[in-house]
Amino acid sequence: MSQYVYFFGGGKADGNKDMKDILGGKGSGLAEMTNAGVPVPPGFTISTQACNAYYDSGGKLPAEVDQQTDAALAKLEALQGKKLGNAKDPLLVSVRSGSKFSMPGMMDTILNLGMNDQSVEGVKAKTGNGRFAKDSYRRFIQMYGNVVLGIDKDKFEHELTAIKKKYKAKTDVELGEKALDEVIARYKVVVEKNTHHPFPQDPREQLVGARDAVFESWMNPRAITYRKLNDIPHNLGTAVNVQTMVFGNMGDTSATGVGFTRNPSTGAKEFYGEFLQNAQGEDVVAGIRTPHPIADLEKVMPKAYRQLRDITTRLERHYKDVQDFEFTIQENTLYMLQTRNGKRTGLAAINIAVDMCEEGVLTKKEALLKVEPQALDQLLHPIFDPKARTSVPVAAKGLPASPGAATGAVVFTAEDAVAWAQKGKKVLLVRMETVPDDIHGMSVAQGILTATGGMTSHAAVVGRQMGKPSVVGCGALDINAKAKTMKVAGKVVREGDPVSIDGSTGEVMLAAVPTSASEVIQVVEGKLKPEKSVIYQKFEKLLGWADEVRRLGIRANADVPKDAKVAFGFGARGIGLCRTEHMFFGAERLPHVVKMILSAARGQRGLDLTRRLKEQLKEAKGHRAMEIRKEIAKVQKELGKYIKDYTTALKKLEPMQKADFAGLFKEMHGSPVTIRTLDPPLHEFLPKREELMVEIAILKTKSATKNKRAIETKEKLLRAVEELHEFNPMLGHRGCRLGITYPELTKMQARAIFEAALQVAKKGIPVKPEVMIPLVGHVEELKRQKAIVIEAAKEVLGKGSGVEYTVGTMIEVPRGAVTADEIAKEAEFFSFGTNDLTQMGFGLSRDDAGKFLLYYLEHGLLEKDPFITLDASGVGILVEIGVKKGRSVKPKLKIGVCGEHGGDPGSIRFFHKVGLDYVSCSPYRVPIARLAAAQAQLEQPVSD
Ligand code: ADP
Ligand code: MG
Ligand code: MG
């Protein structure tokens, strides 16, 4: 028989902290705390397997679930000495959702279950507190009505507001027992009207209804959206926790609150949280009443406060992580209701990991595993430009819930945020308070600003988790969501107006404030001294630990010295890919490039013919020699102009390329620099056919005679564009195929590389050029290109220059991967070009996939975009074959990857596992790659 129900209570629990899969995060936390002797109201957890069974059988549950639930309930009743539904002294419970990964506010919870017309009187008699009893009952009807019976929340709020008005009460705390009786009566009418049934009085029926509603909430649209945004699988299911109620709403010696053991926004070591007196659960997070800072709890309930600090400090050490906890104090007695590892911003993650390691709570290795690599990116986001910042007045101040600078056009609803964002607008989402339904709007906004709620409100929690700048609880905002306006500091702000928020200070400015680079980037770019930036120091400390652990080398893809400098500053030790063509687009170069392209085919043919004839001439005599000379003259006459154009263009480009390469060598301080010979199809350097046609037409209508020369030039260009047209450019005349057909091109590039190397080496800076031939599918391609490179090296370097170089290839054509053993005979290194390998291996055109790839992802045909995370089970096999075959010929063959995947943590794990030597990624992803590579080694050690 399978176990579906797990009990906790009386100092012992069936579960523990390692059972999140089965019990969900909340259930496993309650079990662990119970076992650790922390005061937790007892109860039981119905497992996620029951949820999955519920979905598998279309809403039915195995009989065992009911049997085990009955048994657990009986055990709970015995332990508490109370019975569910008893008229005199009833057991009351909460029914709480909780899946493996926390999804704040996404699913449903019901409090005070077991209340009915009789038991409410029992509670009143037993506690002598009629107000409390009635308040609990009206909350139960409201929650059950909404969650289980599907009645709109507003319908209940409407009645509550009416009664508040009648009794002139500002908040619901001011409503007395009599008023609450009226609320209950009105609520019951709401239920009757909407369901055509009276409010269910049978506690068993209530329990089953609540349990199934929790299961159902797993598949509600907002939960589904949330899981999509956070990469959480849909098949995990949720557990249901049934737990004895404790009451924070029994008067002023009672309270409820939430908190963190450290500041989740900055990571500072400070006890952090909020509470409300005389309130129940959701009141704190819902942002309806603005709660008090937890420090004030010390004043009103000193004993409970000290106990809370003590317990949470122990929990932090026990879990070796920041704890995010919920508690309730019932008449001065403290109960813990939840604990979990706290979500945090990237900044906080780094500070906390480094601090906890230095406090001796974590080892370096444990600290490394605490930081999500992707979160490092947040430290690179821009901040407000300090100078510009001082000239803009602060209009209002709220709580700094999630750091960072955000500017955008104001929108007042999540729907508008999405609609505006789809039009390419940057928006700032302003809400009274956010609710779980808002997440799609939050995810597209630059930042989030709310008028109510505290540092643990929904907006704050979700904002931090998304790494979005957020300011919450900004009371000075007078929002009119219907009219899409707000009043701040005497000004009216309308939808679309620019507003800036500083999530680090809580400041709100009614203007678009310019931003500047983050502190970390300023240090990396050499504009700020490392000792001036605490953030940078922590960042580098953590990454230094990563460097001690990781096996993979980290390089960057950089084409110009400026990027190389940034990459080196971020810790890249080598360039894995320099795309030489990027340098061709410079304004002073493009004309020469165009000239070279226009003359390449005929120019190269002319050169080849002349060379061949001259060879023949050496052997020939007399009449034959005369004939050959005539032929040479003929070639010169026909093709001489092209030869000249071709060779002069190349000559012009050579020194320019040389200067670029020299810059790269210098910035890399002796680390290897891999330079790829020309790769893209040549038409990419020419204007578009349609554009040229339009331009010519315009010139002709203006004046065909006056514009004769211009028209001729453009028509020539048009002919060249048409000649170069390909049906399938990605599979066309590109990569090494260019260098094969136009060997002068490869020669020029190789010469520029070696000239640059020589120049830099002469200054005493070590250089390590690696020449990389792209798109090799057949060993013969590499062999021929390599010969040209070696010849250029001989010419330029001569003997005894001391400059050492290697020649290798990209493996990016499937045929290259499967014949890697052949290719390895000629190659001194491999670098996987996983962009093209995915494109060709998967048969997915990168430029056209947008149209259907999204469908594939949304409909679950593919879990991840294969251009972002390497398709390990398909394209990855090609990589594995390439590695195996390559190393079967050269066991020490150096192998790296230079596709976009080199900066993706999931793909890095794969590259680590298959034994690559390094990954190369864009400069800004270098920190992510360093950490991801260390985590890969910690999770799955691979030795060299
Ligand atoms: P969420 O996952 O949305 O936080 P919870 O299940 O944690 O939902 O419950 C919502 C609120 O109700 C929390 O503030 C929690 O502390 C409170 N709560 C849940 N169960 C109980 C209980 N047995 N007694 C008192 N308060 C409870
Ligand atoms: Mg909770
Ligand atoms: Mg490629």
Side-chain angles (χ1 to χ4, degrees):
M1 198 180 78
S2 350
Q3 186 173 0
Y4 286 107
V5 178
Y6 295 76
F7 195 81
F8 55 91
K12 238 177 42 234
D14 296 342
N16 62 48
K17 74 172 190 328
D18 302 318
M19 293 169 67
K20 282 193 193 153
D21 280 325
I22 301 170
L23 303 179
K26 200 175 286 166
S28 94
L30 292 170
E32 186 78 6
M33 286 196 287
T34 302
N35 283 329
V38 170
V40 172
F44 53 88
T45 305
I46 306 172
S47 75
T48 55
Q49 282 142 337
C51 177
N52 290 332
Y54 179 88
Y55 279 105
D56 288 345
S57 61
K60 276 200 226 70
L61 281 167
E64 288 139 297
V65 177
D66 282 330
Q67 289 153 14
Q68 292 175 25
T69 302
D70 288 346
L73 184 61
K75 190 170 167 184
L76 184 63
E77 287 176 335
L79 184 70
Q80 297 299 90
K82 293 178 186 207
K83 278 201 176 318
L84 196 68
N86 184 290
K88 293 226 174 76
D89 183 16
L91 173 71
L92 298 176
V93 295
S94 64
V95 177
R96 318 172 64 187
S97 58
S99 67
K100 177 172 181 185
F101 301 104
S102 94
M103 303 172 33
M106 289 302 141
M107 290 180 302
D108 298 318
T109 282
I110 292 161
L111 304 182
N112 310 334
L113 189 138
M115 281 283 191
N116 59 24
D117 293 347
Q118 274 92 53
S119 63
V120 69
E121 295 305 329
V123 172
K124 176 181 171 179
K126 183 82 189 168
T127 58
N129 188 340
R131 189 204 171 272
F132 156 71
K134 304 296 164 71
D135 184 47
S136 303
Y137 191 23
R138 74 96 190 156
R139 283 169 189 269
F140 175 52
I141 301 174
Q142 190 170 346
M143 273 189 250
Y144 195 92
N146 174 244
V147 172
V148 183
L149 306 175
I151 302 166
D152 201 353
K153 275 183 193 156
D154 289 346
K155 299 212 165 124
F156 294 107
E157 278 306 326
H158 181 77
E159 301 301 333
L160 187 62
T161 311
I163 298 292
K164 277 204 259 182
K165 215 178 220 162
K166 178 174 167 193
Y167 287 89
K168 299 195 172 61
K170 272 207 211 81
T171 65
D172 54 74
V173 187
E174 292 162 36
L175 294 179
E177 182 180 351
K178 188 162 153 283
L180 288 166
D181 274 334
E182 286 176 50
V183 175
I184 291 168
R186 285 178 176 230
Y187 277 9
K188 284 188 184 163
V189 174
V190 170
V191 171
E192 282 253 26
K193 259 203 193 139
N194 283 277
T195 65
H196 310 294
H197 287 288
F199 185 75
Q201 295 289 313
D202 174 7
R204 286 298 173 122
E205 185 191 335
Q206 294 173 354
L207 186 58
V208 169
R211 178 196 65 196
D212 293 354
V214 169
F215 285 155
E216 291 288 337
S217 70
W218 175 252
M219 284 296 177
N220 72 31
R222 59 172 197 251
I224 293 174
T225 308
Y226 183 90
R227 289 198 293 271
K228 273 192 197 149
L229 286 174
N230 290 283
D231 258 342
I232 299 174
H234 296 301
N235 61 2
L236 294 177
T238 180
V240 176
N241 300 285
V242 178
Q243 187 176 24
T244 307
M245 281 302 302
V246 288
F247 298 96
N249 55 337
M250 285 185 81
D252 282 346
T253 55
S254 300
T256 181
V258 294
F260 287 84
T261 51
R262 297 181 195 231
N263 184 320
S265 178
T266 65
K269 194 180 179 183
E270 62 198 13
F271 195 56
Y272 186 91
E274 285 151 346
F275 78 102
L276 274 175
Q277 257 168 299
N278 198 10
Q280 224 178 1
E282 312 259 71
D283 297 356
V284 178
V285 277
I288 298 166
R289 271 158 72 189
T290 296
H292 310 292
I294 204 154
D296 294 351
L297 184 66
E298 187 167 18
K299 288 171 218 151
V300 288
M301 294 172 211
K303 207 176 123 245
Y305 175 81
R306 273 195 303 279
Q307 198 190 352
L308 180 67
R309 285 221 56 168
D310 176 58
I311 288 174
T312 54
T313 309
R314 268 203 290 145
L315 286 173
E316 183 183 277
R317 252 186 246 133
H318 184 74
Y319 279 98
K320 294 184 166 218
D321 207 337
V322 175
Q323 293 304 294
D324 164 355
F325 55 84
E326 289 174 5
F327 66 93
T328 282
I329 299 167
Q330 177 176 331
E331 301 189 304
N332 283 319
T333 305
L334 173 72
Y335 295 94
M336 297 304 293
L337 288 169
Q338 190 169 339
T339 196
R340 63 181 165 212
N341 296 343
K343 300 230 155 99
R344 65 208 76 173
T345 63
L347 170 65
I350 291 172
N351 281 326
I352 289 167
V354 172
D355 289 353
M356 286 182 83
C357 181
E358 290 180 339
E359 289 161 24
V361 179
L362 297 177
T363 63
K364 280 186 197 173
K365 287 178 182 173
E366 286 168 337
L368 283 170
L369 290 169
K370 291 283 181 211
V371 182
E372 188 79 44
Q374 207 66 51
L376 297 176
D377 204 38
Q378 289 172 30
L379 273 77
L380 313 183
H381 291 175
I383 54 175
F384 284 126
D385 180 68
K387 265 207 209 105
R389 180 68 196 69
T390 51
S391 61
V392 183
V394 174
K397 228 177 145 178
L399 301 170
S402 179
T407 292
V410 163
V411 288
F412 293 96
T413 67
E415 287 68 41
D416 288 336
V418 172
W420 284 58
Q422 268 165 358
K423 283 187 223 141
K425 295 254 169 42
K426 294 195 164 168
V427 297
L428 192 88
L429 180 61
V430 177
R431 302 282 287 150
M432 197 61 196
E433 76 221 14
T434 62
V435 292
D437 277 331
D438 289 339
I439 45 168
H440 54 296
M442 297 170 81
S443 78
V444 298
Q446 304 298 308
I448 298 151
L449 172 62
T450 69
T452 60
M455 294 291 277
T456 48
S457 63
H458 180 265
V461 170
V462 175
R464 278 196 290 274
Q465 193 190 340
M466 290 180 171
K468 288 232 178 230
S470 311
V471 171
V472 302
C474 184
L477 307 183
D478 183 2
I479 301 174
N480 184 344
K482 271 220 183 97
K484 300 190 176 182
T485 62
M486 66 174 174
K487 268 193 233 142
V488 200
K491 290 206 181 98
V492 177
V493 178
R494 282 169 227 286
E495 183 179 52
D497 289 352
V499 168
S500 300
I501 56 166
D502 186 336
S504 318
T505 61
E507 288 164 331
V508 179
M509 289 142 290
L510 305 183
V513 181
T515 52
S516 62
S518 80
E519 258 184 60
V520 170
I521 291 195
Q522 288 184 39
V523 173
V524 165
E525 287 179 343
K527 291 175 190 147
L528 183 70
K529 291 227 160 67
E531 23 335 331
K532 286 259 152 80
S533 171
V534 181
I535 301 174
Y536 177 79
Q537 289 164 27
K538 291 245 170 101
F539 178 81
E540 202 32 55
K541 183 171 262 169
L542 186 82
L543 290 177
W545 297 343
D547 296 345
E548 292 167 17
V549 168
R550 66 182 160 86
R551 187 191 60 77
L552 280 173
I554 308 293
R555 297 193 188 185
N557 298 346
D559 308 328
V560 292
K562 190 175 130 266
D563 292 350
K565 186 185 164 102
V566 170
F568 194 86
F570 274 131
R573 291 298 171 262
I575 289 178
L577 174 63
C578 161
R579 301 173 173 94
T580 48
E581 63 269 16
H582 280 190
M583 306 167 175
F584 280 9
F585 285 102
E588 77 287 7
R589 300 169 187 208
L590 203 54
H592 303 299
V593 174
V594 171
K595 199 166 173 190
M596 184 267 290
I597 294 171
L598 294 183
S599 58
R602 293 178 189 88
Q604 186 72 49
R605 188 149 56 87
L607 281 177
D608 292 346
L609 279 174
T610 312
R611 208 172 286 146
R612 200 172 340 126
L613 289 168
K614 279 188 178 162
E615 283 296 314
Q616 289 172 10
L617 190 61
K618 279 186 205 157
E619 322 268 289
K621 288 197 190 88
H623 180 67
R624 173 77 189 129
M626 270 232 327
E627 265 184 1
I628 293 175
R629 279 205 194 89
K630 255 194 218 156
E631 264 186 68
I632 294 180
K634 199 174 136 215
V635 170
Q636 276 303 318
K637 197 175 155 222
E638 261 175 37
L639 300 173
K641 187 184 157 327
Y642 295 104
I643 298 176
K644 194 167 153 255
D645 280 0
Y646 182 48
T647 47
T648 39
L650 288 173
K651 262 205 199 94
K652 286 265 191 231
L653 289 170
E654 191 175 309
M656 295 176 180
Q657 292 243 287
K658 175 184 166 186
D660 297 325
F661 299 147
L664 292 182
F665 290 134
K666 273 187 226 146
E667 295 296 351
M668 273 299 132
H669 309 277
S671 289
V673 176
T674 306
I675 299 169
R676 174 178 73 181
T677 53
L678 197 65
D679 181 59
L682 295 181
H683 72 79
E684 286 192 7
F685 301 100
L686 300 181
K688 292 244 171 335
R689 178 170 177 263
E690 292 69 23
E691 280 166 22
L692 277 171
M693 287 168 75
V694 171
E695 283 168 25
I696 293 169
I698 291 174
L699 284 174
K700 278 186 177 163
T701 42
K702 275 189 186 154
S703 166
T705 38
K706 256 200 224 149
N707 295 321
K708 195 163 168 259
R709 295 272 312 265
I711 292 171
E712 268 173 22
T713 320
K714 291 215 189 271
E715 279 179 338
K716 203 169 130 203
L717 203 53
L718 180 62
R719 273 197 302 279
V721 170
E722 281 169 347
E723 260 176 46
L724 286 173
H725 171 77
E726 293 178 320
F727 288 103
N728 240 328
M730 283 302 123
L731 300 176
H733 194 190
R734 57 173 287 229
C736 65
R737 299 158 195 172
L738 291 169
I740 299 269
T741 48
Y742 306 137
E744 299 306 315
L745 201 56
T746 303
K747 195 163 155 193
M748 179 278 283
Q749 293 202 296
R751 287 182 58 92
I753 293 170
F754 296 123
E755 282 165 7
L758 197 60
Q759 184 189 51
V760 175
K762 276 188 181 151
K763 288 189 187 140
I765 302 170
V767 287
K768 259 194 216 154
E770 301 179 333
V771 184
M772 179 159 77
I773 310 298
L775 217 73
V776 166
H778 194 291
V779 61
E780 204 57 37
E781 293 170 322
L782 176 61
K783 205 165 165 184
R784 294 189 188 193
Q785 288 286 287
K786 189 176 154 192
I788 297 171
V789 174
I790 291 175
E791 195 180 294
K794 275 191 195 139
E795 278 175 33
V796 175
L797 300 176
K799 277 204 185 103
S801 71
V803 172
E804 283 178 16
Y805 69 93
T806 52
V807 185
T809 183
M810 279 181 90
I811 300 287
E812 53 185 338
V813 176
R815 194 183 186 284
V818 298
T819 60
D821 43 353
E822 289 294 317
I823 293 173
K825 288 182 196 148
E826 294 294 331
E828 289 166 282
F829 65 86
F830 281 176
S831 177
F832 283 97
T834 48
N835 298 341
D836 265 308
L837 197 59
T838 299
Q839 180 159 258
M840 295 187 222
F842 221 125
L844 269 179
S845 160
R846 244 206 301 179
D847 308 306
D848 306 303
K851 288 183 197 138
F852 51 88
L853 200 52
L854 204 65
Y855 183 95
Y856 273 46
L857 293 168
E858 276 177 359
H859 292 76
L861 278 91
L862 284 178
E863 215 174 289
K864 299 232 159 110
D865 181 339
F867 289 110
I868 295 173
T869 299
L870 189 81
D871 159 43
S873 55
V875 180
I877 307 288
L878 287 170
V879 174
E880 277 190 272
I881 292 172
V883 172
K884 253 200 213 115
K885 289 205 159 186
R887 294 223 173 110
S888 72
V889 173
K890 285 189 181 151
K892 296 252 153 207
L893 187 68
K894 184 156 70 170
I895 307 181
V897 58
C898 60
E900 234 41 60
H901 303 95
D904 169 67
S907 313
I908 290 173
R909 219 171 286 142
F910 175 83
F911 297 134
H912 165 80
K913 201 180 68 188
V914 298
L916 297 205
D917 295 299
Y918 68 85
V919 297
S920 187
C921 57
S922 89
Y924 292 92
R925 295 195 74 82
V926 165
I928 295 174
R930 282 164 80 189
L931 182 56
Q935 293 185 348
Q937 172 71 356
L938 290 171
E939 283 159 10
Q940 192 168 16
V942 171
S943 60
D944 282 306

